[in-house]
Amino acid sequence: MSVLRSLEAKIESLFEGVFGRAFRGSVQPVELARKLVKEMDDHKTVSVSRVYVPNEYTVYLSTADREQFSGYENSLRGELTDYLAEHARRERYVLPGPPDVKLETDNELDLGVFGIATRLVQPPTDDRPASTAPPVSTAVSETMIYKPPPLHEPGEAAPVAPTPPAVERLVLAFAGTTRAVTGSRVVLGRSSDCDIQIPDANVSRRHAEIVHEGDDHWLVDLGSTNGIETSDGKVQRLKLEPGTRFVLGSTDVVVSREQTST
């Protein structure tokens, strides 16, 4: 079990145990955690070598749901903030400042319905050079509204969940093995702490990384000793598509795609 999944299981146990008894029939904190992570993923901004994500999240709740959280609000905000920070760390997202989760009341929302608005805000004390500072946005994103799934009538058969659509992901084949590319940034190298380890003495410890930019994947050299070799010579960046071939050190790598369920 990954660190993120372990943390999610811990939060589920806490929220659905201690908190869940108080919130039964209303918005569940574990659902807030999942949707906040979804909003972070949906609002990332890809630069040349970094992926920035919003650091301010405003959750809009119905009056009844906000009252349910009254005795736990500070603790809940802390847990949600930690959850977002851990997800950003795992995905190697860049936050312009510590994540901040705010709770607001919206009298027009029904019980069990909530909205989330995000914003990427650079702290005013940030004195980094403009060339390295993250993009600054003062505009709040369009608020996403999340509603609970409709309940079926007593005696009526529960609706059948649709089959999850298949998605494609990149696969690297090298040295008689294959490794799938998951996440928005994947580091390749000889070091054991790389996402994809290549046991080749001619490969640098942190040789290159795969960056997901829009619909494309790019291989970017990380200042390695031997660089990225292609049929056209050495390159700093290489677009990865099915059939792409390149060499790291003395290891030939071939790119393909596979389908997997979400």
Side-chain angles (χ1 to χ4, degrees):
M1 179 179 291
S2 68
V3 173
L4 183 58
R5 291 188 180 277
S6 177
L7 179 63
E8 184 178 46
K10 178 181 177 182
I11 289 180
E12 283 195 31
S13 175
L14 173 64
F15 285 158
E16 293 181 349
V18 176
F19 292 125
R21 290 188 293 273
F23 305 127
R24 197 167 304 282
S26 59
V27 172
Q28 294 292 314
V30 68
E31 184 66 12
L32 292 180
R34 289 170 177 160
K35 298 305 183 185
L36 283 167
V37 163
K38 181 180 185 300
E39 289 299 305
M40 175 178 281
D41 292 337
D42 289 348
H43 290 88
K44 59 179 178 283
T45 301
V46 180
S47 68
V48 176
S49 60
R50 297 181 178 181
V51 180
Y52 295 101
V53 290
N55 57 321
E56 184 178 286
Y57 298 79
T58 303
V59 180
Y60 296 94
L61 300 162
S62 68
T63 302
D65 281 316
R66 183 73 184 280
E67 289 175 353
Q68 296 275 9
F69 295 125
S70 60
Y72 308 90
E73 187 166 310
N74 289 337
S75 177
L76 174 61
R77 288 181 58 204
E79 291 284 352
L80 294 175
T81 297
D82 291 345
Y83 191 57
L84 284 174
E86 175 64 18
H87 181 71
R89 187 191 69 80
R90 287 287 300 170
E91 293 297 324
R92 292 186 173 85
Y93 292 153
V94 177
L95 290 159
D100 182 24
V101 178
K102 305 175 185 293
L103 300 184
E104 299 289 346
T105 301
D106 187 333
N107 295 326
E108 296 183 0
L109 294 177
D110 296 328
L111 180 69
V113 178
F114 63 94
I116 300 177
T118 67
R119 191 166 61 149
L120 192 153
V121 182
Q122 182 175 312
T125 57
D126 193 340
D127 57 0
R128 288 172 294 178
S131 60
T132 61
V136 179
S137 172
T138 57
V140 178
S141 70
E142 179 180 354
T143 302
M144 290 297 298
I145 302 298
Y146 294 96
K147 299 180 179 180
L151 299 175
H152 58 280
E153 295 295 329
E156 179 184 347
V160 178
T163 302
V167 297
E168 289 189 336
R169 62 182 180 182
L170 286 185
V171 175
L172 306 183
F174 60 92
T177 186
T178 59
R179 293 292 302 275
V181 176
T182 59
S184 58
R185 294 181 62 179
V186 176
V187 177
L188 289 72
R190 192 178 74 251
S191 175
S192 60
D193 62 359
C194 290
D195 300 301
I196 296 181
Q197 184 182 17
I198 301 178
D200 181 343
N202 295 312
V203 171
S204 298
R205 292 181 60 80
R206 292 173 63 86
H207 198 108
E209 69 177 352
I210 297 175
V211 181
H212 192 186
E213 299 180 359
D215 294 329
D216 299 323
H217 287 82
W218 292 84
L219 180 67
V220 181
D221 183 55
L222 294 177
S224 63
T225 300
N226 295 315
I228 302 170
E229 289 279 357
T230 70
S231 58
D232 297 323
K234 288 188 177 182
V235 297
Q236 290 295 316
R237 284 169 57 89
L238 177 65
K239 185 177 180 180
L240 301 182
E241 299 175 312
T244 300
R245 294 174 178 268
F246 59 91
V247 178
L248 299 185
S250 57
T251 300
D252 294 310
V253 183
V254 181
V255 181
S256 62
R257 288 188 185 273
E258 69 174 10
Q259 286 195 340
T260 181
S261 299
T262 55

